Amino acid sequence: MAYQHGDDVDYVEDEYEMDELDDEFQGIELGGFHLDVDEFQGIDLGGFDSDEDEFQGADLGGFDSDVDAYDDMNNRTQDTSAAEARSGKDIQGIPWERLPSTREEYRQTRLEHYKNYESIPQSGETSAKECKTAKKDGLYYDFRRNSRSVKSTIFHFQLRNLVWATSKHDAYLMSHFSVIHWSSLTCASTEVLNLSGHVAPREKHPESLLEGFTQTQVSTLAVKDKLLVAGGLQGELICKYLDKPGVCFCSRTTYDDNAITTAIEINNTASGALHFIASNNDCGVRDFDLENFQLSNHFQFPWPVNHTSLSPDGKLLIVVGDNPEGILVDSRNGKDVASLCGHVDYSFASAWHPDGLTFATGNQDKTCRIWDLRSLSKSVTALKGNIGAIRSIRYSSDGRYMAMAEAADFVHIFDVKSGYEVEQEIDFFGEISGVSFSPDTESLIVGVWDRTYGSLLEFGRRRNYAYLDTIL
C-alpha cells in the first residue's frame, strides 16, 4: 500500500482537481469532484507522520461535532425514499434540473477524467484485454433509501472496508472519528464509539495495552456477532462488545513506521471459538483468539499485506498485498499452498464464496478475478470495473450474488449462478467507503463519501412474489 506522503498528495490533486469543470457546477460537490487536497491535508494517506494539529484548517465535515449533528432535520429532509426515486427524484438528491449539465453528460465526464490510482503504471489498460464483458440487465436489489443524515467517511484512500450491515435494518460505519450505528427502521443514528479523544480498555488482559489510544484514525472496521473491531493507521486494534459499555481490548500490533492496519476479518473456528485476523502494512497477518484476547498466530510475508480472507472451513487463507501475485496459505502454519497469478497491480480485496471452492480478489488494475481451488493455474474469469480499482468484494451469505465495489461511483452485483455473466450495475457519484450485504441477504448497504452528498445508500433484495397473484 502507498505510504509516501508526497505521492499521495499528487494523486489526490490529480484525481479531484478538475478545474475545467469547477465553474460549471458552481460549488455543488458531486462525488468528490470538488474535493481538493485540503480534504486530506494533515492526514497522511499512507499512515505516515499523522498529526492531529494538521487537521486544523481542513474542512473535515465537522468531525469534532457530537452525535446530535446526525439528527439535523435539514439533512433529514434531503434524504431520498424509494417512492421519491420512483417519482423521478435523483437517488442522491442532486438537483440536475438546476445544473447546466445533465446527469448523462456529467457521467461521461467522470468516465473520461477520473484518474485511477495505480502502483504499476498502465495496469488498467494491460488487464482490460482479457476481461469478460457481463450483461448489465440484471436487477437483484431495488433502491430503498439514501440517507444523507448519516455521513460515511474514509481515512485512507486505498482502504474501503468501513461499512458493515449486521441485519437488514442495522449498519455500522465510520464517520470521521466516530463509529456510528444506523437504523433504517427509525432512520436514526447512534454513536457507538468516539475515538477523537482517549479510549482505554475496561477489562484487563495480558496482551492488552491498558493506557489505550488517543485520537485513533480508523483505517478498517469489522462488525460481527455483537463484536466490533477497529484498526488504525498506526497499528492500533480496538475491540468493543456492542452490548457492553466501553472498550474491552486495545493493542498495538507493531511499532514499525509503516504500521497501517489494512483489514480485519472476524470469524469462528471449527470449534466455535471467536477469532479475528488483522492484516498489516508491516507484512504481517495476526490471528487473535477473542476468548482471552491473545495472539494465537503471526505470519510474515515478503510484502505489505492489504487484505486476507479465511475460507469457510477455516483451513486456507487468501493473502493479497503489494505484489501482483497473491498467495493461498495454510491458515494453521502460514505455509504457501499456491500462488495466484494474473493481476498486474497490487490487490486490496478478497472474499470466499460460501461453497469454499471459489473465491475472488480485487486489484488496482480495475479487475476482480474469480479463482477455483480445483484449478489454480489461472483465474476462472476476470471482471472489469468502469473507472477505478476494485477495493471491496462481498458475497451474499447464500452465495447467489457477489458485490464488487470500485473506488468510486460503481457497485456491481454479479449473478454467481450465471457464471458472472449477468450483473446489476449501481451507478451514483462519490467515493465508496464500503459495501455490505446483510447476513440474511435482504439488504445491501453502500457508504458514499463526499462533502456534500456523503450518505448511506440502502437497497433491498428483489423477490418474486408472482405466485401471490393466484390468491387474488
Side-chain angles (χ1 to χ4, degrees):
M1 127 176 342
Y3 55 89
Q4 294 299 324
H5 184 67
D7 293 342
D8 293 339
V9 172
D10 291 342
Y11 159 69
V12 173
E13 290 176 333
D14 289 342
E15 182 175 356
Y16 294 114
E17 294 185 353
M18 300 181 190
D19 295 335
E20 67 272 16
L21 292 178
D22 280 355
D23 294 337
E24 179 180 357
F25 284 88
Q26 299 175 351
I28 294 178
E29 299 169 76
L30 302 177
F33 194 69
H34 287 232
L35 206 59
D36 59 24
V37 73
D38 287 341
E39 175 76 6
F40 293 96
Q41 189 170 12
I43 304 176
D44 177 6
L45 297 180
F48 257 74
D49 301 323
S50 297
D51 187 334
E52 60 263 32
D53 293 337
E54 292 178 291
F55 282 101
Q56 296 177 10
D59 179 9
L60 290 175
F63 67 82
D64 54 355
S65 63
D66 59 27
V67 74
D68 291 340
Y70 294 96
D71 294 323
D72 185 346
M73 292 305 296
N74 290 330
N75 277 334
R76 286 182 179 279
T77 60
Q78 295 173 345
D79 291 355
T80 305
S81 68
E84 290 172 321
R86 287 194 295 269
S87 299
K89 182 178 179 179
D90 181 83
I91 64 170
Q92 293 180 272
I94 299 172
W96 296 106
E97 68 280 2
R98 302 207 305 267
L99 297 175
S101 293
T102 65
R103 188 187 195 281
E104 291 72 23
E105 290 171 336
Y106 183 70
R107 166 52 66 212
Q108 187 58 38
T109 297
R110 286 278 283 183
L111 290 171
E112 293 173 358
H113 291 278
Y114 186 94
K115 184 177 179 181
N116 178 46
Y117 183 88
E118 298 175 335
S119 299
I120 298 176
Q122 307 302 313
S123 62
E125 288 73 13
T126 303
S127 64
K129 300 172 184 177
E130 57 178 306
C131 287
K132 171 188 289 187
T133 301
K135 297 177 182 177
K136 298 184 178 182
D137 55 1
L139 186 54
Y140 316 123
Y141 282 81
D142 292 322
F143 173 76
R144 185 187 291 158
R145 185 178 185 86
N146 182 54
S147 302
R148 286 172 61 188
S149 47
V150 59
K151 303 293 185 182
S152 177
T153 58
I154 301 165
F155 263 122
H156 192 292
F157 76 100
Q158 291 173 300
L159 303 178
R160 308 298 183 91
N161 292 299
L162 295 167
V163 174
W164 289 85
T166 56
S167 82
K168 64 181 178 181
H169 299 304
D170 298 280
Y172 292 82
L173 65 145
M174 286 306 305
S175 186
H176 303 299
F177 282 95
S178 295
V179 180
I180 300 295
H181 167 252
W182 171 255
S183 169
S184 62
L185 282 177
T186 62
C187 294
S189 58
T190 306
E191 185 178 65
V192 174
L193 184 61
N194 188 320
L195 299 168
S196 63
H198 179 254
V199 295
R202 292 192 172 195
E203 303 175 12
K204 291 184 178 180
H205 299 283
E207 297 182 17
S208 190
L209 194 66
L210 297 182
E211 61 266 34
F213 303 112
T214 300
Q215 200 170 50
T216 303
Q217 298 173 12
V218 173
S219 51
T220 188
L221 182 74
V223 185
K224 181 182 179 181
D225 296 338
K226 295 293 183 180
L227 176 70
L228 180 154
V229 184
L233 289 180
Q234 295 182 25
E236 304 98 330
L237 290 173
I238 299 172
C239 300
K240 173 182 174 55
Y241 282 107
L242 297 173
D243 55 355
K244 296 180 181 180
V247 167
C248 56
F249 178 73
C250 289
S251 177
R252 189 183 297 277
T253 55
T254 176
Y255 286 88
D256 287 2
D257 290 334
N258 186 21
I260 308 164
T261 310
T262 53
I264 292 169
E265 183 181 68
I266 302 171
N267 58 79
N268 294 96
T269 66
S271 64
L274 192 62
H275 281 229
F276 75 85
I277 297 173
S279 307
N280 197 282
N281 211 37
D282 72 344
C283 306
V285 174
R286 297 166 176 85
D287 182 11
F288 286 84
D289 181 348
L290 288 168
E291 182 177 355
N292 300 307
F293 292 96
Q294 290 183 331
L295 182 66
S296 60
N297 257 325
H298 180 193
F299 307 135
Q300 284 292 121
F301 297 93
W303 27 259
V305 178
N306 297 329
H307 202 272
T308 53
S309 294
L310 186 68
S311 62
D313 64 7
K315 295 179 179 180
L316 296 171
L317 195 65
I318 307 165
V319 182
V320 297
D322 285 6
N323 191 305
E325 291 187 14
I327 310 174
L328 199 63
V329 305
D330 188 318
S331 64
R332 297 165 297 182
N333 53 33
K335 292 183 178 180
D336 291 10
V337 173
S339 295
L340 306 174
C341 304
H343 286 300
V344 293
D345 207 312
Y346 298 167
S347 293
F348 283 81
S350 63
W352 285 90
H353 187 277
D355 66 9
L357 295 175
T358 56
F359 58 92
T361 54
N363 192 277
Q364 290 183 157
D365 63 11
K366 299 185 185 178
T367 71
C368 168
R369 288 182 178 269
I370 310 300
W371 308 83
D372 192 315
L373 278 180
R374 295 158 292 192
S375 179
L376 289 171
S377 58
K378 65 177 183 178
S379 59
V380 175
T381 190
L383 309 170
K384 188 177 184 299
N386 292 328
I387 65 173
I390 309 306
R391 299 212 178 273
S392 186
I393 301 170
R394 295 283 185 269
Y395 279 99
S396 59
S397 61
D398 61 1
R400 179 66 189 272
Y401 303 113
M402 184 193 77
M404 178 184 93
E406 300 187 42
D409 292 18
F410 294 99
V411 172
H412 308 263
I413 307 173
F414 288 92
D415 181 354
V416 175
K417 285 187 176 181
S418 74
Y420 302 88
E421 293 185 354
V422 184
E423 68 161 295
Q424 174 185 353
E425 185 178 88
I426 300 174
D427 178 339
F428 51 93
F429 295 99
E431 296 290 307
I432 299 171
S433 60
V435 60
S436 180
F437 288 106
S438 61
D440 62 3
T441 78
E442 291 301 313
S443 294
L444 176 71
I445 307 295
V446 181
V448 182
W449 176 61
D450 181 80
R451 279 185 184 172
T452 303
Y453 292 98
S455 66
L456 277 188
L457 284 166
E458 303 173 38
F459 299 85
R461 186 164 179 174
R462 171 171 280 214
R463 297 290 187 179
N464 183 5
Y465 295 120
Y467 68 89
L468 293 176
D469 294 343
T470 61
I471 302 175
L472 302 178

